[in-house]
Amino acid sequence: MLRSLRIFFAALLLVCVQSFAGYFIEQPYEEAPVADTLSALSFGGELELVYYLGAVHPGVLLSGEYRFHKHHSVDFFGAALFSGDYFELGVDWRFFFRGTREDDFVRLGASFVSFEHFDKSYFPPRVTLGYGRDITFFKNASFLCRIELNASYIIGEPLTKKENDFSYREAHFTAAMNIGFYLF
């Protein structure tokens, strides 16, 4: 099953890379359309695949985003892994390159992660850097698809996994791929 998950994750990553591969070559920045009607609020959810401690952990992320400028937005989110390893609450700032609804963006985030280790609860901060793209499938659609790759670092107590009776593996660094839908 682990091999199947790795193959699925690799195929999904290749599809994402292929869709972005020629974007900047095919459509120069100066010729890109800049007229777009942006709504200030959008709500949605994402399926996230988080990689840490040598395994991929699926989870879900719910978010509410406010676009206060055509190039800038802020969103509040909550995330949980299906395995229950941790829960996360945080805020993100996104910078959109062209300022349109269908656009590439850079994400900077800060959050707090809640997990248990040795029967104690921890709530360390986490910083995140990501790159993604919002895609609209139809010209007048009121929803979009978001694909994002990000890396994050937990400051303080690390995530742990029991190896055997005497040793634990620790992880401060995680990598994730998110795929979601947002309504605006």
Side-chain angles (χ1 to χ4, degrees), residues 95-154:
F95 174 77
F96 294 89
F97 292 105
R98 292 184 308 168
T100 59
R101 179 55 64 194
E102 187 168 26
D103 201 355
D104 294 342
F105 62 84
V106 173
R107 167 189 170 196
L108 295 174
S111 61
F112 289 95
V113 180
S114 174
F115 60 90
E116 291 188 10
H117 178 58
F118 294 125
D119 297 327
K120 292 174 85 177
S121 294
Y122 294 95
F123 205 57
R126 173 190 232 173
V127 292
T128 304
L129 175 65
Y131 174 80
R133 178 161 176 80
D134 286 346
I135 302 166
T136 53
F137 295 110
F138 307 106
K139 188 173 186 172
N140 295 322
S142 60
F143 67 92
L144 60 85
C145 177
R146 176 170 286 167
I147 299 172
E148 180 179 2
L149 299 172
N150 63 56
S152 61
Y153 185 80
I154 298 173

Side-chain angles (χ1 to χ4, degrees), residues 10 25 29 33 37 39 83 86 89 93 96 99 106 117 120 123 130 134 136 158 177 180:
I25 296 170
Y29 185 79
T37 57
S39 58
S83 63
Y86 70 77
L89 293 172
W93 168 77
F96 294 89
V106 173
H117 178 58
K120 292 174 85 177
F123 205 57
D134 286 346
T136 53
M177 180 174 143

Side-chain angles (χ1 to χ4, degrees), residues 9 12-13 16 20 45-51 57-63 75 77-79 81 86 88 92 94 105 107 126 128 130-135 145-152 174-182:
F9 185 67
L12 198 56
L13 187 61
C16 293
F20 290 121
E46 301 178 9
L47 172 67
E48 63 177 357
L49 300 172
V50 184
Y51 179 81
H57 305 270
V60 64
L61 180 142
L62 299 175
S63 173
D75 79 284
F77 69 92
L81 296 182
Y86 70 77
E88 180 179 16
D92 289 325
R94 285 186 175 83
F105 62 84
R107 167 189 170 196
R126 173 190 232 173
T128 304
Y131 174 80
R133 178 161 176 80
D134 286 346
I135 302 166
C145 177
R146 176 170 286 167
I147 299 172
E148 180 179 2
L149 299 172
N150 63 56
S152 61
T174 64
M177 180 174 143
N178 296 3
I179 300 172
F181 287 95
Y182 284 80

